Amino acid sequence: MYKRQILRAARDLFADPEGDDPKVSDIAQAATCSTATIHNHFPNAVPDILGAITSELMDAAYDRYKTTAAELSGLDLPRAYVQAVSDEFYKAGDLAVVMVRASVDQATDSPWPWGLGYETTVDCYDEAAEDDDLPGTSADLAEITHIHFYGSLYLWALGRLDSDKFLQSAKSSVDLAINALQVSR
C-alpha cells in the first residue's frame, strides 16, 4: 500500500516544473508516511524511487507494444517498440527529464538505462529477422538503436532538444540503426 502512495507522491512532486528537487521528507509528507517507511521500500530513497517509476514507464511501453505486436512483422516490430517507449517518455514530460538526469548517477552502479528495454529490443529484431533481411545481428542493431535513443533522451534532459524534437529523434532510432549498418557493410 505504502509503495504505491510513495510512487504516486514522488511522481507528482518530481513532475512539478515549479517545484524544487523533492527530498525524502517532502515525499514522505506527500505520501503521508514516515521517511523510515520510504527507506524500507526504497533503501536508496530517491534514486530507487526514480528507478521504480522508470521501470513502470518501461512496463507500460512494453504492454502497449504487445497489444499491437501480433499484427506486425519485420522491422515494424522494433519500430513499434521504440515508438512505444518514446511515447511513454514523452508523456511523462518533466518527470522523464528528472528520471534521465538521475540516471546519470545511477549508471555507474546499475544497468540503468541500458538494461531497460535492451533485451526486448534484441527480441524485436530477432522477430524482424524472420521477415526481413537485416544488415547485422539483432544485438548490433539493438545497440545502435539504444545509443541513438538514449542520446536523444539525454539531449532532451539537458535542454538541447525540445519535447517534440526528442520524440521525432527517438522514434527514428530503428531506421538510423538499420541505415548505419547498411552503410558499414
Side-chain angles (χ1 to χ4, degrees), residues 38-182:
I38 289 178
H39 287 286
N40 285 338
H41 290 282
F42 303 97
N44 294 312
V46 173
D48 287 352
I49 290 169
L50 291 172
I53 293 169
T54 303
S55 291
E56 287 180 348
L57 183 146
M58 294 298 293
D59 290 345
Y62 182 75
D63 291 345
R64 194 171 125 210
Y65 161 74
K66 288 308 281 181
T67 63
T68 61
E71 302 165 11
L72 303 173
S73 64
L75 289 171
D76 287 337
L77 290 160
R79 283 185 188 115
Y81 177 66
V82 171
Q83 180 173 340
V85 173
S86 300
D87 288 341
E88 291 300 322
F89 274 97
Y90 179 81
K91 286 190 313 191
D94 290 330
L95 176 60
V97 170
V98 171
M99 292 183 314
V100 172
R101 287 182 180 150
S103 75
V104 172
D105 295 331
Q106 294 178 29
T108 57
D109 300 324
S110 75
W112 164 255
W114 204 259
L116 296 173
Y118 178 75
E119 288 302 321
T120 303
T121 306
V122 171
D123 293 344
C124 289
Y125 279 116
D126 284 342
E127 288 182 52
E130 295 172 12
D131 298 313
D132 289 336
D133 182 31
L134 302 181
T137 69
S138 296
D140 289 343
L141 287 162
E143 184 174 339
I144 294 169
T145 299
H146 273 240
I147 288 169
H148 186 268
F149 177 85
Y150 285 110
S152 300
L153 194 58
Y154 282 110
L155 287 171
W156 179 38
L158 292 170
R160 304 276 198 252
L161 293 177
D162 66 28
S163 297
D164 293 330
K165 291 276 188 201
F166 154 73
L167 189 60
Q168 179 185 10
S169 180
K171 286 181 178 182
S172 71
S173 298
V174 170
D175 292 313
L176 287 169
I178 294 294
N179 291 339
L181 285 181
Q182 284 174 337

